[in-house]
Amino acid sequence: MLREAAQEESAPAPSGLQEESAPAPSGLKSYDLYIAGKDVAGDGWVYTVSGRSLLEDVFTSVSLKRSLEQDPESEASQHPYVVGRCAIADDDAIDLATQAAAAAAPDWAAVPLERRMRLGTRFREELIKHQDEFLEMLVAESHPVKLARWELSCLLQIYSPGSLRWYLKQMRVEKEYSGRKLILQRQPDGVVAFNPPQNAPLPSAALSVLALMAGNSVVVRAPRSIALSTMWLLRDIVAPLLEELDAPPGVLNAVCSNPKQTMDRWIADPLINDIFYIGGSQEGLRFEQRCVAHGKKPILELAGNDGIVVWKDADIKWAAEAITESFYGSGQICMVPNYVLAHPDIAEALIAEVREQVKGIRPGFPEEEDVLLSPVRRSERFFRLLRQALDNGASLVTGGHRTELDGTPSETGVFLQPTVLRVDGLDRARTFDVVREETFFPLIPIVVAERDNDDALLESFLRFVNSNSYGLRNSLWSRSDHVIETFVRRVVNGGLLKVNDSHIGFLPYLPSHGGTGRTGGAFGEANYPMLKTSHVQGVSIARDISPYDAVFGA
């Protein structure tokens, strides 16, 4: 009965689900669940208050959320701090979304690839058209506006004309051979479920468009604690584009729901084929095992512990700029640098330059143009890592304290100062948790290598990078063709290697996500979601060919 409801546009929503909820208070963005091409009422609401309010008056902002969740009709919804609400999905709604996706998947997979590819072109056009609203949504969820522009730049590169042409080439290749047409094509996996993270739900949810282009139908879970931007993107940007392309209802479904409740249902549901999981490594690798045990493809985007290598001939100023990217968003971005390996000849100059450039990384309200730090709500682990490193022999270069909105050091501040440590010696560097693990704070160690001849140092740096248990991105700063070529040829860890470039910047063709080890799981690599959510199929089309001759002929 649920699948019939997903297919029939006029059918009533089953299991007590109602199409559309009561109107929202005037001026408040409000999103129902989006299932089978319809807005469906949920089981209550979660509210978004502005990121500014959490810094300006945290007591009022928290009180507003609690009041509204207890009484959705409360006058609190008219408060200027309240920017939107999203309906909450129960078990029935989660299952209905999956069934709607499964019902739509065969018809959408049958749509010609070239037509599906138009979705990527149109998506990019709509992102540019709505870029101001895109930025407003992220700023409302506490993303500094400068970083919100960086997140938009990521999507504009992923869906750039050059990238789309490359995806198309990977999806289908035809060759002629001995009177046969040989085809290598990628077929969609079916129903792909997406689990965006709390720190960047909107740009992560935008990857679902690539799965749609591959011919899959999708179900996206908007995080309950920060659902508004995800629902805006899917309901107001992607859904109308699918209607424009005459996609069957149910190709796209979006629900705001509890993570464990949703994951448990997705893993148990035979209609789900792939689950795109973004989260921490420990939980993600356990999740991978559960997926495999239930016959599902896990696509993992987990933690990173990225390294930057600075060779003796590097441009110190620009290398330091790349290192300070570690502090963007207070380090709460998986692809920022987490440690530095410095050639001893330039270590002092590099540390001095980093210390100077750190002065420009400041806290503030998210809508302020020069702000790059974000609040850090749970800072206990930051101070634990810092104490452990200092007790183990590291030295503090700069930072190490909480700070207020205006940059004043404070025991009660919600920001953390950009913090740089010096660690001497490659041999003992991985005895420091701050070097070995992802920190997710504005905290980076600069490891100064022991003095040795350059050939031995180069080998030591390569061993260190390749032995990292994570594998998202690596960077190298060097002018030497020999050093660059050696790294390009021999660095096997990670999904992306950047040389003399921004560590976090995005480029067409190259992957924006993906990695090895604890970053991507046993099958981790550079992640192109359009390829990850499809599988290779070989085809041979022959005419007037004798099977006997094909086997035994010359």
Side-chain angles (χ1 to χ4, degrees):
M1 183 175 70
L2 295 180
R3 182 170 296 177
E4 289 172 1
Q7 291 175 310
E8 297 294 333
E9 190 160 342
S10 60
S15 302
L17 297 176
Q18 299 177 4
E19 290 183 26
E20 298 190 25
S21 56
S26 176
L28 185 71
K29 283 188 176 293
S30 181
Y31 293 98
D32 288 308
L33 312 173
Y34 186 68
I35 300 173
K38 299 177 184 177
D39 296 311
V40 176
D43 184 24
W45 299 96
V46 289
Y47 285 80
T48 298
V49 295
S50 70
R52 182 183 183 93
S53 74
L54 293 167
L55 299 173
E56 201 168 59
D57 189 346
V58 66
F59 177 79
T60 297
S61 64
V62 172
S63 298
L64 282 169
K65 282 178 68 73
R66 288 176 179 165
S67 296
L68 287 165
E69 284 163 15
Q70 292 169 1
D71 179 11
E73 305 305 321
S74 165
E75 290 184 2
S77 63
Q78 303 292 341
H79 196 285
Y81 282 169
V82 181
V83 295
R85 67 179 188 178
C86 297
I88 302 169
D90 60 11
D91 288 348
D92 287 333
I94 294 168
D95 293 344
L96 177 63
T98 300
Q99 292 158 7
D107 288 344
W108 180 240
V111 171
L113 174 62
E114 290 74 14
R115 182 172 148 207
R116 298 196 310 261
M117 293 296 297
R118 286 171 51 198
L119 179 62
T121 301
R122 290 288 294 116
F123 182 55
R124 189 177 194 272
E125 292 171 351
E126 289 300 299
L127 285 176
I128 293 171
K129 179 180 176 181
H130 295 279
Q131 59 183 304
D132 289 344
E133 197 171 359
F134 180 101
L135 299 178
E136 288 169 7
M137 281 288 170
L138 292 186
V139 168
E141 294 180 343
S142 297
H143 294 230
V145 66
K146 185 172 280 189
L147 287 183
R149 290 196 183 94
W150 166 73
E151 292 171 89
L152 177 60
S153 77
C154 169
L155 298 181
L156 295 182
Q157 292 291 11
I158 289 173
Y159 295 99
S160 68
S163 295
L164 294 177
R165 286 193 297 271
W166 187 84
Y167 304 150
L168 182 61
K169 288 180 181 178
Q170 309 310 306
M171 293 297 289
R172 185 179 174 94
V173 177
E174 294 186 11
K175 299 290 183 182
E176 296 291 332
Y177 174 76
S178 298
R180 301 170 177 86
K181 179 190 287 188
L182 303 183
I183 302 171
L184 279 177
Q185 62 185 6
R186 300 192 71 92
Q187 296 283 24
D189 289 342
V191 177
V192 181
F194 276 79
N195 179 57
Q198 294 185 54
N199 65 315
L202 185 159
S204 299
L207 300 178
S208 65
V209 174
L210 293 164
L212 289 165
M213 289 161 54
N216 301 286
S217 58
V218 303
V219 183
V220 183
R221 185 193 77 85
R224 276 192 59 157
S225 60
I226 187 166
L228 189 66
S229 67
T230 300
M231 295 303 294
W232 167 79
L233 180 82
L234 299 175
R235 182 64 189 89
D236 290 358
I237 305 296
V238 182
L241 294 178
L242 289 168
E243 291 178 9
E244 181 183 301
L245 293 173
D246 294 323
V251 164
L252 171 68
N253 305 273
V255 295
C256 172
S257 57
N258 176 277
K260 184 179 187 307
Q261 168 198 23
T262 308
M263 293 298 166
D264 288 347
R265 300 195 79 78
W266 282 353
I267 285 182
D269 197 323
L271 297 177
I272 297 285
N273 298 101
D274 301 352
I275 303 180
F276 202 112
Y277 181 94
I278 305 177
S281 289
Q282 188 173 354
E283 302 86 352
L285 294 175
R286 286 198 298 264
F287 183 77
E288 178 184 43
Q289 294 176 348
R290 292 179 64 198
C291 283
V292 172
H294 285 80
K296 301 184 188 305
K297 181 195 288 187
I299 303 169
L300 304 180
E301 282 293 330
L302 308 179
N305 184 29
D306 293 12
I308 291 184
V309 175
V310 185
W311 197 246
K312 67 179 185 180
D313 59 352
D315 185 302
I316 298 300
K317 179 177 181 296
W318 285 354
E321 281 186 15
I323 291 168
T324 59
E325 291 175 357
S326 170
F327 306 121
Y328 294 0
S330 291
Q332 297 172 107
I333 302 170
C334 61
M335 59 188 65
V336 296
N338 267 231
Y339 69 87
V340 181
L341 304 184
H343 192 290
D345 288 0
I346 50 84
E348 298 297 337
L350 178 67
I351 290 170
E353 181 64 27
V354 170
R355 184 193 294 113
E356 185 63 28
Q357 291 197 22
V358 160
K359 295 175 183 177
I361 309 294
R362 71 176 187 86
F365 291 112
E367 65 269 23
E368 295 175 8
E369 280 293 335
D370 294 330
V371 167
L372 285 168
L373 290 179
S374 303
V376 179
R377 297 297 170 189
R378 297 179 180 176
S379 56
E380 297 83 3
R381 185 166 180 263
F382 168 86
F383 289 104
R384 187 167 65 250
L385 288 167
L386 181 59
R387 282 194 300 271
Q388 183 204 55
L390 296 175
D391 290 346
N392 203 19
S395 56
L396 181 66
V397 174
T398 187
H401 301 282
R402 292 186 179 91
T403 180
E404 296 290 348
L405 188 67
D406 62 359
T408 304
S410 165
E411 291 299 316
T412 59
V414 296
F415 293 90
L416 294 172
Q417 291 178 331
T419 301
V420 181
L421 294 170
R422 173 175 177 148
V423 174
D424 286 296
L426 284 180
D427 290 344
R428 61 189 297 264
R430 286 223 171 96
T431 65
F432 293 78
D433 286 348
V434 72
V435 175
R436 186 174 61 248
E437 302 292 342
E438 182 187 49
T439 55
F440 227 60
F441 300 109
L443 172 64
I444 192 166
I446 297 177
V447 179
V448 180
E450 301 88 341
R451 290 200 171 273
D452 205 337
N453 67 72
D454 283 349
D455 287 342
L457 275 175
L458 187 57
E459 289 297 321
S460 296
F461 281 3
L462 286 165
R463 281 196 302 272
F464 197 97
V465 171
N466 281 331
S467 62
N468 186 357
S469 62
Y470 298 84
L472 187 53
R473 296 184 174 199
N474 295 299
S475 283
L476 169 69
W477 284 86
S478 174
R479 292 186 174 95
S480 164
D481 290 340
H482 169 66
V483 172
I484 293 170
E485 290 168 6
T486 300
F487 263 73
V488 170
R489 187 176 68 254
R490 293 183 54 193
V491 168
V492 296
N493 184 40
L496 186 65
L497 172 63
K498 303 289 287 292
V499 179
N500 298 327
D501 203 350
S502 162
H503 188 89
I504 68 171
F506 301 102
L507 295 164
Y509 308 106
L510 296 183
S512 60
H513 293 71
T516 54
R518 295 180 68 187
T519 295
F523 302 99
E525 59 182 353
N527 187 348
Y528 293 93
M530 192 168 178
L531 307 185
K532 282 281 192 177
T533 59
S534 59
H535 52 275
V536 177
Q537 180 186 67
V539 179
S540 171
I541 302 173
R543 288 182 173 84
D544 302 322
I545 299 290
S546 160
Y548 185 90
D549 290 345
V551 175
F552 297 110

